[in-house]
Amino acid sequence: MQKTYKTAFNRGNARIWIEGDILNANGFTHGRRFKRVMVATIGSNAPVMSLQFADVKDSDKRKGKIAGTPARPIVDLNGKFMTEFMDGATHYLATFKNDTITIERA
């Protein structure tokens, strides 16, 4: 499943905000941990970010957790790293598949 979102901003930095039923419907529930991994794509200069939910260890760098509530889970990513990743893009495409959410500029 894929969905396009508008890039938000928080304190001048780009923000990715994914919430609600789309997460629950794809098995991404409140409290699950993930690690952020940058993925190189063949034939494109634009980076792709992968949120991987399987086998996350406490020692993993760039880890996160689905916030919110069980009824309304939220993936919230923001900061300078997001501004650099989005590179001025106004929208992003989130792809939900298996135990991974893939995010790319749209």
Side-chain angles (χ1 to χ4, degrees), residues 32-37 52-65:
R32 284 192 71 190
R33 294 201 171 271
F34 60 86
K35 60 183 173 182
R36 288 190 334 260
V37 178
Q52 299 174 354
F53 289 81
D55 302 325
V56 177
K57 300 175 180 76
D58 286 337
S59 62
D60 287 334
K61 295 181 179 179
R62 299 181 179 167
K63 63 183 178 203
K65 183 176 173 182

Side-chain angles (χ1 to χ4, degrees), residues 67-85:
T69 65
R72 186 174 159 246
I74 299 169
V75 171
D76 180 14
L77 303 171
N78 63 63
K80 186 177 178 182
F81 76 97
M82 285 307 310
T83 300
E84 293 168 358
F85 172 76

Side-chain angles (χ1 to χ4, degrees), residues 19-32:
E19 68 175 311
D21 292 338
I22 195 158
L23 291 172
N24 278 329
N26 287 284
F28 302 106
T29 56
H30 170 262
R32 284 192 71 190

Side-chain angles (χ1 to χ4, degrees), residues 86-101:
M86 293 305 293
D87 194 30
T90 59
H91 292 78
Y92 59 94
L93 177 68
T95 304
F96 306 88
K97 188 174 180 181
N98 301 326
D99 265 345
T100 304
I101 298 174

